[in-house]
Amino acid sequence: AIGSYKMAEENPATFEKIKAKLSELNIPYVTTHHDPVRTSEEAAQIRGSKLESGAKAILMKWKGKKDTSYTYTLFVMSAVKKLDSKRVKTLLGAASLSFAPEEDVRSITGCLPGAVPPFGSVFGVKTYMDKAFQEIADIDFNAGLRTDSIKMTRADYEKAECPIIEEVTSS
């Protein structure tokens, strides 16, 4: 149920960094404060927006064939899409690929799962955006907190984040 998540350890730092970045670039956006949400479905419901406009951000952990340590990469797509692991593995040249565990998500992004924004740049991680997401005009996303969302144009998001655009979902 919406609002049933513990309000544990939410840190507003990422939310503030995103707002500062957008303001610095003179990019218009609207913030909404709401009950805590974790899933894209709950977020769309509470925002009164379409599910496909939700920018789902997934932090992946991977290692190349000769790598000794893991790399983390953020993948952004419409909330109605699913990440295509095989496609991403090939794209990255990864020998192993997995969803980043909750403790890694928290240590890298400063966010709880469900609050990770589509801005890998604010926490030093490369960002890929699904090519199909370019069809969406206005996007919504949790902005570092499960209780705060940002709505902006997808074109402005691309201008602010400069994600690498590739097909990362299955059709």
Side-chain angles (χ1 to χ4, degrees), residues 22-78:
L22 296 176
S23 296
E24 188 179 300
L25 295 169
N26 293 313
I27 290 177
Y29 63 94
V30 177
T31 60
T32 307
H33 186 73
H34 48 72
D35 285 339
V37 292
R38 180 171 176 162
T39 68
S40 298
E41 292 77 12
E42 290 172 346
Q45 183 184 348
I46 209 161
R47 293 177 194 136
S49 60
K50 289 184 173 152
L51 186 57
E52 42 280 334
S53 73
K56 180 164 59 176
I58 299 174
L59 188 67
M60 299 298 287
K61 176 180 179 176
W62 63 279
K63 197 187 265 194
K65 290 169 181 59
K66 295 179 181 173
D67 294 341
T68 52
S69 60
Y70 285 99
T71 299
Y72 294 86
T73 304
L74 193 70
F75 291 89
V76 178
M77 67 216 69
S78 169

Side-chain angles (χ1 to χ4, degrees), residues 11 86 98 148 154 165 169:
N11 182 340
K86 282 185 182 161
S98 62
D148 291 87
R154 192 254 329 125
I165 298 167
T169 59

Side-chain angles (χ1 to χ4, degrees), residues 97-163:
L97 174 78
S98 62
F99 292 102
E102 185 169 336
E103 56 274 12
D104 292 4
V105 171
R106 292 181 64 178
S107 67
I108 290 163
T109 69
C111 304
L112 294 174
V116 177
F119 284 89
S121 62
V122 301
F123 32 83
V125 170
K126 191 179 285 187
T127 303
Y128 282 82
M129 185 186 87
D130 187 42
K131 191 172 173 60
F133 203 44
Q134 290 187 302
E135 297 163 18
I136 307 295
D138 294 305
I139 66 169
D140 302 279
F141 54 89
N142 277 1
L145 298 168
R146 290 179 178 177
T147 54
D148 291 87
S149 295
I150 286 180
K151 182 182 201 72
M152 63 188 298
T153 70
R154 192 254 329 125
D156 280 343
Y157 161 72
E158 282 188 48
K159 189 165 41 173
E161 180 62 5
C162 303

